[in-house]
Amino acid sequence: MSKLRVESFTISLDGFGAGPHQDLNHPLGVGGTSLHGWAFSTRTFQRAVLGSESGATEGIDEDFAARGFRNFGAWILGRNMFGPVRGPWPDESWRGWWGENPVYQVPVFVLTHHARAPLVMEGGTTFYFITEGIEAALAQAREAAQGKDIRLGGGVNVIQQYLRQRLIDEMHVAIAPVLLGSGERLFEGINLPALGYACTQHVASPLATHVVFTRQQDQ
């Protein structure tokens, strides 16, 4: 069966996965962009997100960035990851942060409380807006992925929901040498050992410490 994986999710030294006051001008919250210096330095990120051929082509950070785009057939996102619009959709003018050809290039299932018609984009990306909850989104993503893995993109609250239900198979977290002071803490109220998760890999680069958590099968 395909795995549900979190990849390249970065937190600060004080545990925040996003800064405070997320909005159109601060999609990652105030100070949130500073978390992602390790990813900005890689060729994978530069190519996939910015369409550039700059960035490092080897090293620990590039290795982890590259694995975040490997063997995925679908994504799941929280609504805040799709855009800053809150409440009922006023119209369908907001089409995401990424322009008409988003980075995903596979089906993307967006968790929301407010229905919206599927949004077909260039490059193979279609956004489906799921109102039935996290398990319904996962079931539809598995079907769409056709045996490949599913990437859970976040944000913090969505990852917490899937963790509490032990639905995440593997999670790569990058810890940046940054202090945010406030925002959304990724592991707030989460007891990873009690949920059956263990650290199975950790390695540091000059820009981040990379940690992989895996759900133990005997739990």
Side-chain angles (χ1 to χ4, degrees):
M1 181 183 290
S2 61
K3 293 181 178 180
L4 179 63
R5 293 161 47 196
V6 174
E7 292 287 344
S8 300
F9 196 89
T10 307
I11 64 175
S12 63
L13 285 173
D14 45 355
F16 297 103
H21 311 305
Q22 296 178 44
D23 58 22
L24 183 60
N25 295 318
H26 301 96
L28 302 176
V30 175
T33 302
S34 65
L35 296 175
H36 302 283
W38 74 269
F40 297 153
S41 72
T42 66
R43 175 67 60 86
T44 291
F45 180 91
Q46 291 285 329
R47 178 181 292 160
V49 179
L50 303 179
S52 168
E53 292 299 318
S54 62
T57 59
E58 56 186 42
I60 292 169
D61 295 325
E62 169 61 19
D63 290 345
F64 275 97
R67 70 173 249 166
F69 287 90
R70 193 175 298 137
N71 193 42
F72 286 104
W75 283 60
I76 297 173
L77 300 178
R79 179 166 168 178
N80 288 356
M81 296 288 289
F82 176 74
V85 182
R86 303 292 186 263
W89 303 98
D91 52 46
E92 297 188 356
S93 59
W94 180 261
R95 297 171 63 83
W97 301 103
W98 315 272
E100 291 301 307
N101 190 0
V103 300
Y104 305 105
Q105 300 182 352
V106 294
V108 179
F109 297 85
V110 180
L111 289 157
T112 176
H113 295 295
H114 302 280
R116 178 173 170 173
L119 176 59
V120 180
M121 310 292 281
E122 297 174 10
T125 301
T126 298
F127 293 104
Y128 297 93
F129 300 90
I130 309 302
T131 59
E132 298 86 2
I134 64 171
E135 294 192 24
L138 180 56
Q140 293 183 51
R142 284 200 196 282
E143 182 176 0
Q146 299 182 342
K148 292 186 176 182
D149 291 343
I150 301 137
R151 180 165 169 177
L152 180 60
V156 167
N157 180 265
V158 168
I159 291 175
Q160 290 175 344
Q161 290 183 58
Y162 278 97
L163 276 176
R164 290 190 177 102
Q165 297 301 316
R166 299 190 69 250
L167 293 172
I168 296 173
D169 296 288
E170 190 172 87
M171 179 167 58
H172 162 228
V173 175
I175 305 170
V178 172
L179 294 169
L180 290 184
S182 64
E184 296 181 87
R185 278 200 170 95
L186 178 60
F187 296 123
E188 186 77 37
I190 300 291
N191 187 332
L192 288 173
L195 291 169
Y197 290 91
C199 176
T200 52
Q201 184 181 2
H202 62 92
V203 61
S205 78
L207 297 177
T209 297
H210 298 275
V211 180
V212 176
F213 300 98
T214 304
R215 192 186 73 223
Q216 305 305 290
Q217 297 303 314
D218 58 348
Q219 295 291 317

